[in-house]
């Protein structure tokens, strides 16, 4: 296996996981960030994010002596022949992607490089961004310094990002430079998975199309669940029957209160915006976004109907992160519910195993509890927002006795509803009988 000296610009979810995994594969990796506190913390063993297994992987890389952290771009460009861009591309005010960070990162590489460098974009960027970055890099090219460009989109799921990196379904690499594609293949060849070599624009589109399709599956099954509620069918059985068809599959057919996180909401919106900029109206994605937004409000309507009103009620939220095994609350369903509930005059209590502090910083009006049992005490209703394992195996007899009223709303269809009803709870899921 060929070993490379690789730089990573950005130490968020994508950058830090990519750097740690590449070092675990034997490459020498320099992770760079402009945030001095983040780099100082990483050097001392404190991670800016929660991701299962990542702290151990980082510690092992540092101990081996092939994983470094720096705030100096020169330390990266002087040592590395391949540099990954893994900075944020958040949603901008017009719904598209804000590319300011990635252009700034590319500009810093251009200005400080002293050799031929392969620049690889890991960040999710709209189709056509690669062309702009190549043009920017070419402004510096001379007899001693030149650049090649590769699009290498990531498909990491928060909560299982290390496994997704080391055991991916496929690797996508897009470039017009065959030598750079060969080197990228060499990096990933030990993983033993299919690799797609293509042009830059196609690689960029694969990322957006993949996320948009998965978001569409989620919104579709939520619509089916809503119809199930109206006609008396059971979404669990319906999804099982659908998933047995190999053309459909079982993944992303779990009904609930909608998707969130750092990828699906902004990527679906960005693809819609990208299409709109060409004059094409992406009607399907309009519906996907609308369904996802309405799904949270639908849950609130259910609660209001059961309780006979919300003002003055105490409602507990189990889970704040947008999915289990992460502390990420970006676009989380919990934030939407909290805002809606507070606006209705509800006292909101909440607990999450790892995301409590982030919620506390956003919403001062939420009573943050020490455990799920404390959330339940005196509540008129509980909402399972995130299906953390810790919520699935509790003493529900104790919980029932501590509540003011016995209502549980399962926003993820994760609880044993028949058992809860047998105990005396008023249970309501999403499309469940």
């Amino acid at each position: 296996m060929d070993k490379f000296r690789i730089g990573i610009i950005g130490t968020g979810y994508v950058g830090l996981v990519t750097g740690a995994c590449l070092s675990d594969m034997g490459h020498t990796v320099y992770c760079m960030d402009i945030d001095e506190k983040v780099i100082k913390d990483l050097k001392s063993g404190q991670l800016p994010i929660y991701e299962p297994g990542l702290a151990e992987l980082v510690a092992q890389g540092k101990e081996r002596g092939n994983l470094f952290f720096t705030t100096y771009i020169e330390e990266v460009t002087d040592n590395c022949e391949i540099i990954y861009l893994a900075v944020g591309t958040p949603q901008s005010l017009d719904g598209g992607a804000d590319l300011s960070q990635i252009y700034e990162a590319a500009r810093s590489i251009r200005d400080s490089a002293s050799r031929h460098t392969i620049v690889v974009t890991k960040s999710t960027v709209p189709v056509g961004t690669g062309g702009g970055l190549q043009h920017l890099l070419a402004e510096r090219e001379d007899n001693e310094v030149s650049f090649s460009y590769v699009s290498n989109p990531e498909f990491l799921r928060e909560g299982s990002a290390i496994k997704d990196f080391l055991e991916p379904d496929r690797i996508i690499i897009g470039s017009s430079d065959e030598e750079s594609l060969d080197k990228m293949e060499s990096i990933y060849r030990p993983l033993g998975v299919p690799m797609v070599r293509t042009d830059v624009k196609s690689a960029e589109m694969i990322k957006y199309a993949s996320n948009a399709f998965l978001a569409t599956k989620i919104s579709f099954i939520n619509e089916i669940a809503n119809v199930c509620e109206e006609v008396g069918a059971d979404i669990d059985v319906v999804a099982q029957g659908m998933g047995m068809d190999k053309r459909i599959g079982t993944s992303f057919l779990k009904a609930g209160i909608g998707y969130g996180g750092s990828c699906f909401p902004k990527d679906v919106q960005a693809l819609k915006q990208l299409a709109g900029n060409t004059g094409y109206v992406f009607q399907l994605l309009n519906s996907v976004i609308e369904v996802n937004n309405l799904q949270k409000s639908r849950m609130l309507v259910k609660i209001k109907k059961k309780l006979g009103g919300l003002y003055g009620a105490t409602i507990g939220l189990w889970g704040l992160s947008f999915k289990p095994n992460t502390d990420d609350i970006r676009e989380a369903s919990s934030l939407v519910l909290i805002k809606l509930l507070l606006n209705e005059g509800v006292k909101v209590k909440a607990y999450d195993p790892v995301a409590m502090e982030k919620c506390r910083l956003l919403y001062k009006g939420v009573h943050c509890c020490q455990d799920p049992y404390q959330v339940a005490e005196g509540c008129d209703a509980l909402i399972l927002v995130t299906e953390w394992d810790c919520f699935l195996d509790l003493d529900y007899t104790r919980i029932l006795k501590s509540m003011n009223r016995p209502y549980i709303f399962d926003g993820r269809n994760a609880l044993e509803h028949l058992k809860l009803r047998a105990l005396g709870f008023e249970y309501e899921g999403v499309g469940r009988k």
Side-chain angles (χ1 to χ4, degrees):
M1 169 186 164
D2 293 330
K3 298 294 197 303
F4 295 95
R5 300 177 75 82
I6 300 172
I8 311 286
I9 309 300
T11 57
Y13 283 94
V14 175
L16 192 54
V17 169
T18 299
C21 288
L22 287 173
S23 74
D24 187 61
M25 293 170 65
H27 304 287
T28 299
V29 180
Y30 290 79
C31 292
M32 180 263 175
D33 203 293
I34 60 173
D35 191 324
E36 294 183 1
K37 183 181 185 307
V38 166
I39 295 300
K40 181 180 179 181
D41 287 345
L42 283 167
K43 287 181 176 181
S44 65
Q46 299 180 55
L47 272 61
I49 58 173
Y50 174 81
E51 180 66 33
L54 184 57
E56 293 80 1
L57 212 59
V58 169
Q60 291 167 14
K62 290 163 63 179
E63 186 175 343
R64 279 192 308 268
N66 70 334
L67 181 59
F68 305 94
F69 298 100
T70 181
T71 57
Y72 298 104
I73 186 63
E74 292 81 9
E75 191 171 349
V76 176
T77 53
D78 288 350
N79 286 287
C80 302
E81 58 184 305
I82 301 171
I83 302 177
Y84 285 70
L85 300 176
V87 296
T89 54
Q91 186 172 315
S92 61
L93 293 177
D94 66 358
D98 180 349
L99 301 176
S100 58
Q101 293 182 54
I102 199 161
Y103 272 102
E104 183 58 35
R107 192 174 292 110
S108 66
I109 294 171
R110 179 198 65 189
D111 294 344
S112 61
S114 57
R115 67 173 83 185
H116 174 72
T117 304
I118 299 174
V119 177
V120 182
T121 293
K122 266 288 181 192
S123 304
T124 301
V125 296
V127 180
T129 303
L133 291 172
Q134 290 177 77
H135 179 75
L136 181 150
L137 293 168
E139 293 175 353
R140 164 73 198 280
E141 289 188 350
D142 52 41
N143 292 332
E144 295 181 358
V145 178
S146 61
F147 301 93
S148 297
Y149 181 82
V150 177
S151 174
N152 176 217
E154 55 84 17
F155 299 95
L156 307 179
R157 296 167 298 169
E158 292 180 33
S160 58
I162 292 173
K163 183 177 186 296
D164 290 342
F165 189 98
L166 297 175
E167 302 175 29
D169 296 321
R170 78 292 200 195
I171 300 292
I172 309 297
I173 45 176
S175 181
S176 58
D177 182 73
E178 294 297 322
E179 185 177 346
S180 295
L181 288 174
D182 290 341
K183 287 188 176 182
M184 295 302 295
E185 278 200 8
S186 180
I187 290 174
Y188 294 119
R189 191 171 294 117
L191 300 181
V193 298
M195 284 186 254
V196 177
R197 291 173 65 134
T198 185
D199 60 276
V200 171
K201 288 184 177 181
S202 296
E204 292 170 339
M205 180 58 86
I206 288 170
K207 169 63 176 180
Y208 274 110
S210 297
N211 279 358
F213 182 75
L214 295 176
T216 299
K217 287 188 74 173
I218 295 171
S219 284
F220 178 82
I221 200 63
N222 283 336
E223 286 277 71
I224 295 296
N226 295 341
V227 176
C228 284
E229 291 180 357
E230 300 301 324
V231 302
D234 189 321
I235 190 59
D236 290 345
V237 179
V238 172
Q240 179 186 18
M242 291 173 60
M244 293 171 73
D245 187 326
K246 294 179 181 179
R247 297 169 301 173
I248 298 173
T250 58
S251 63
F252 291 84
L253 288 185
K254 186 76 171 177
I257 52 176
Y259 60 78
S262 62
C263 292
F264 283 6
K266 79 176 182 68
D267 290 355
V268 172
Q269 185 65 45
L271 181 54
K272 172 192 166 185
Q273 183 71 23
L274 175 69
N277 290 342
T278 70
Y280 181 78
V281 179
F282 210 139
Q283 296 286 14
L284 179 59
L285 291 190
N286 286 334
S287 297
V288 169
I289 294 167
E290 183 180 10
V291 169
N292 193 59
N293 291 337
L294 290 175
Q295 202 68 3
K296 284 84 170 172
S297 301
R298 186 177 174 87
M299 174 63 73
L300 194 71
V301 171
K302 290 181 182 180
I303 299 171
K304 185 181 290 189
K305 183 178 180 180
K306 282 285 187 179
L307 297 184
L310 290 174
Y311 184 80
T314 299
I315 295 179
L317 271 58
W318 279 347
L320 296 168
S321 57
F322 85 93
K323 63 180 290 188
N325 298 318
T326 179
D327 63 347
D328 196 347
I329 62 172
R330 286 176 289 181
E331 301 292 332
S333 296
S334 62
L335 302 186
V336 178
L337 289 172
I338 287 171
K339 185 175 181 179
L340 292 172
L341 290 169
L342 291 176
N343 287 343
E344 291 278 354
V346 172
K347 177 184 176 182
V348 179
K349 303 173 70 177
Y351 172 75
D352 186 285
V354 299
M356 295 296 292
E357 189 58 33
K358 290 188 175 181
C359 178
R360 186 181 284 111
L361 293 173
L362 281 177
Y363 289 100
K364 305 298 183 183
V366 176
H367 178 61
C368 296
C369 299
Q370 296 180 347
D371 57 50
Y373 296 105
Q374 190 178 25
V375 175
E377 292 173 4
C379 269
D380 296 293
L382 287 170
I383 310 172
L384 179 69
V385 183
T386 314
E387 63 276 32
W388 285 92
D389 286 344
C390 66
F391 300 128
L392 309 184
D393 187 24
L394 296 170
D395 183 347
Y396 279 95
T397 300
R398 172 184 170 184
I399 289 169
L400 181 64
K401 291 178 180 178
S402 71
M403 292 180 67
N404 186 34
R405 288 193 274 183
Y407 292 110
I408 285 187
F409 295 87
D410 187 353
R412 298 300 175 187
N413 284 358
L415 301 175
E416 296 184 49
H417 55 301
L418 298 180
K419 182 184 291 186
L420 292 176
R421 285 171 179 155
L423 287 173
F425 283 99
E426 291 282 339
Y427 170 96
E428 187 156 352
V430 181
R432 274 178 154 181
K433 292 185 70 173

